[in-house]
Structures are given as C-alpha cells and as structure tokens.
Amino acid sequence: MNNNWKWLHVCLLFLMCFVMQTTVAQWLAIFDAGPDFILIFIISVAIKHGPAAGVLWGFIAGFSQDVYAPVEWLGANTISFTILGFLVGQLEERFLTLNLPAKVGVLGFGFFLCDMLYFFLTGLEKEVVTNLFFSKTIPECLYTMVVGAVVFHLSIGKPKKHV
C-alpha cells in the first residue's frame, strides 16, 4: 500500500474514533464509565508506526479533545496524549513484537499513565485524585482494555502463511 494511502487510512481511523468517542462511547457507558476509543487509537498507531507517529497523533488527539470538550486546563490532554504516544511508540513493532495480551497490558498501563499525567498537570488535590482514580480511572481502564482487546484481536487478523 502506498505511504500516502496509509496516512489517509490513519486519518480516517482517527476521525472514526473521534466520532465514536463523542457518540457511541456515551451509549456504551456502564455506571458512567465508557471505553476510550481515542486512547486505543493512539496506542495502536504508536505501536504500529513508532514514536514519531505516536507523538503526532497523540498531539492531534489531545488537542482535539482539549478544544472539543469543556475543560478548565487547556493543553492537559494534549501533553498527556503526546507523552503517551512517545512512550508507547518506543515499543514499535519493528523492534518488538507484542502479542494480544501484551498489547492489552500496554493499553491498561497507558490508560493509567495518561490519567495520572492529566491529574498531575491539572493540579488536582490528593483527595480528588483518589476519588477520581477509584470512581472513573479504574472502571474506564477495565472497559477500555476489554474493547481494546476486541479491536486488537480484529486488527491482528489471521497470520500470514509464508510459502
């Protein structure tokens, strides 16, 4: 596939994930916890294309969320997702092949890291962070890991046979 088509494909995937995050995620919410499709997208792109792509799409996704969502701290999502994209991009598939459980583990770790960075950047008090951690971060992380496992399983597809 041509390199330009690959990036167009990634752009369309981002738009689809952004639309799903702003619409479908609300419908799928259980006890006010829903999957984070944008985080799944960032981690998938960073693992597949490396740290430069992870930083680029982390920045774009974080900036989009900062502009779209009503937040008090403009830029906190941008910084969190950009750092996440870089760190996960270090696990690029050309250097390290991750199986499905490892990818889901990276997704869970990335979710916690991203939330902790966001909480740190916004300067929330310890009690508020503790409450948010148990009431939002853990349930949303688990939900995102389940949805991410399905997405990773579908994107891995059948192994290619070498003849």
Side-chain angles (χ1 to χ4, degrees):
M1 184 184 269
N2 186 334
N3 204 20
N4 292 333
W5 289 111
K6 284 182 189 179
W7 286 106
L8 179 62
H9 181 251
V10 174
C11 287
L12 292 174
L13 279 175
F14 171 71
L15 290 174
M16 183 180 76
C17 288
F18 190 80
V19 168
M20 288 174 60
Q21 188 65 43
T22 57
T23 58
V24 175
Q26 296 168 359
W27 299 336
L28 296 175
I30 300 173
F31 298 114
D32 203 29
D36 193 335
F37 294 108
I38 293 180
L39 195 74
I40 295 170
F41 168 79
I42 293 168
I43 289 178
S44 298
V45 168
I47 288 174
K48 185 166 180 138
H49 298 288
V55 165
L56 172 69
W57 287 105
F59 177 83
I60 291 170
F63 185 73
S64 298
Q65 279 196 330
D66 280 337
V67 170
Y68 181 78
V71 294
E72 299 95 31
W73 297 96
L74 187 63
N77 281 317
T78 304
I79 293 169
S80 299
F81 285 161
T82 302
I83 291 171
L84 177 69
F86 174 76
L87 292 176
V88 172
Q90 297 300 315
L91 302 173
E92 184 177 5
E93 284 187 330
R94 285 185 285 187
F95 304 113
L96 178 66
T97 302
L98 298 175
N99 58 11
L100 181 63
K103 286 182 181 182
V104 173
V106 169
L107 178 61
F109 176 75
F111 192 97
F112 281 117
L113 176 68
C114 196
D115 267 12
M116 292 304 110
L117 283 170
Y118 182 83
F119 294 153
F120 174 75
L121 291 169
T122 55
L124 295 175
E125 295 178 7
K126 183 180 177 183
E127 296 80 26
V128 175
V129 170
T130 304
N131 185 30
L132 286 173
F133 183 76
F134 288 110
S135 66
K136 293 290 276 180
T137 299
I138 290 176
E140 286 185 2
C141 178
L142 293 174
Y143 201 165
T144 300
M145 289 173 71
V146 169
V147 172
V150 172
V151 169
F152 292 150
H153 177 71
L154 294 175
S155 68
I156 291 172
K158 296 179 183 176
K160 295 178 183 175
K161 295 181 181 178
H162 298 287
V163 180

